[in-house]
Amino acid sequence: MSERIGQKYTTNDQLFAIQQLQQTGYSIMPRPHVHTGFELYYLLQGERVYFINGKIFTAQKGDMVIVVPGDLHSTASSQVEHVERVLIQFDPRFIPQPERQVLELPPFLESTLLRVPLKEQDELENSLLYMLSECKEHQAFYESYIRQLLIGLLIRLHRIGSLADTSAESQHPMHQKVSEITAHIHTHFSEPITLEQLAGIFFISPSYLSRVFLKLTGFHLSEYIRIIRVREAQKLLRTTTAKIQQIAEHVGFEHISHFNKTFKKVSGCSPLQYRKQHVRS
């Protein structure tokens, strides 16, 4: 695999970052992850597979992938070897009011893939290249100019999203199958779930399911199940006063010790610490 990663540029307040990357050959993101801000992936060339919150999307040239804060996501190569993309990460606070209200409208309400019409692509790509250029050159008021360019980009994406079909999930049969499996996990996380059980339900051999799931999502199946259970526990810890033992049982853990150990591994703190932190915030 050959890779050319451009410098990652950030504004002085660290609320905005942009980077360009070119890549040839197979690659997968080292670990699926989440961010506190928004991410915008624009494909200049090639094709890329995105796994976001249990759904699989195949992005092609001219597609914008929008990842909202807190959504679990990863990327991997498709059958197309060469890919070039621009990645933007920004905190909502980088956008002043009232323009920030655009983030409360489609297509920014949930992570999705937005197919940018051909007639819109040149202007959109020029905006991205202007942002890169401004970050490189650091001319007077460059941060203000980047902010205005980003506002214009978000408004344009909102207008495109209000007319376009944003449910462009991958049509590849195995991609659809893995999306169905993750949907099953999201629905039945409180019940016992095993690789063999899922393989039987979806008529796939356990070994093949294990390999494909890891390739497309970046997760081992058992690991993904644990993370979904922990994320549901996090939500309950933030929004209810239920006892930790009750929450552990509700999200599918038979033993509180196993729950505490898994929760700390995923969250970086114990369930009690997590609750205290989010009550304070």
Side-chain angles (χ1 to χ4, degrees), residues 1 3 21 23 25-33 35 39-43 47-53 55-59 65-67 71-78 83 85-87 89 113 175 213-219:
M1 182 191 74
E3 186 174 62
L21 176 145
Q23 200 169 59
Y26 181 80
S27 71
I28 187 168
M29 184 181 289
R31 294 296 305 159
H33 59 277
H35 293 290
E39 285 195 349
L40 305 176
Y41 295 82
Y42 183 76
L43 267 290
E47 193 174 81
R48 193 78 178 163
V49 177
Y50 291 82
F51 176 72
I52 310 173
N53 263 10
K55 295 182 180 180
I56 296 175
F57 303 87
T58 301
V65 179
I66 300 168
V67 184
D71 273 3
L72 190 68
H73 61 284
S74 65
T75 73
S77 299
S78 70
V83 66
R85 60 101 168 109
V86 175
L87 167 64
Q89 298 170 326
L113 183 150
H175 294 184
F213 195 90
L214 176 60
K215 179 179 179 180
L216 292 178
T217 70
F219 286 110

Side-chain angles (χ1 to χ4, degrees), residues 234 237-239 244 263-264 266-281:
Q234 289 173 337
L237 287 165
R238 293 193 307 267
T239 60
I244 292 175
F263 189 97
K264 187 170 184 178
V266 174
S267 305
C269 63
S270 70
L272 183 59
Q273 289 170 330
Y274 183 90
R275 172 171 270 170
K276 288 180 177 179
Q277 289 171 4
H278 285 80
V279 166
R280 285 201 302 270
S281 63

Side-chain angles (χ1 to χ4, degrees), residues 36-147:
T36 56
F38 283 85
E39 285 195 349
L40 305 176
Y41 295 82
Y42 183 76
L43 267 290
L44 292 165
Q45 288 187 43
E47 193 174 81
R48 193 78 178 163
V49 177
Y50 291 82
F51 176 72
I52 310 173
N53 263 10
K55 295 182 180 180
I56 296 175
F57 303 87
T58 301
Q60 301 170 337
K61 173 178 167 52
D63 288 346
M64 178 70 79
V65 179
I66 300 168
V67 184
V68 305
D71 273 3
L72 190 68
H73 61 284
S74 65
T75 73
S77 299
S78 70
Q79 299 302 312
V80 179
E81 287 196 352
H82 182 74
V83 66
E84 182 177 2
R85 60 101 168 109
V86 175
L87 167 64
I88 290 176
Q89 298 170 326
F90 70 94
D91 188 296
R93 292 173 296 172
F94 186 69
I95 307 298
Q97 294 288 10
E99 289 87 352
R100 194 185 304 170
Q101 294 176 18
V102 71
L103 297 175
E104 300 171 7
L105 301 171
F108 306 108
L109 300 178
E110 61 179 353
S111 297
T112 191
L113 183 150
L114 186 64
R115 299 214 181 276
V116 178
L118 185 61
K119 65 179 182 179
E120 302 272 3
Q121 289 178 20
D122 282 349
E123 190 166 346
L124 189 148
E125 290 172 15
N126 284 337
S127 294
L128 297 173
L129 295 176
Y130 276 130
M131 289 185 205
L132 280 165
S133 176
E134 286 295 313
C135 283
K136 289 177 185 177
E137 297 175 8
H138 277 222
Q139 297 190 54
F141 302 104
Y142 82 98
E143 289 193 10
S144 297
Y145 190 26
I146 290 170
R147 185 174 288 105

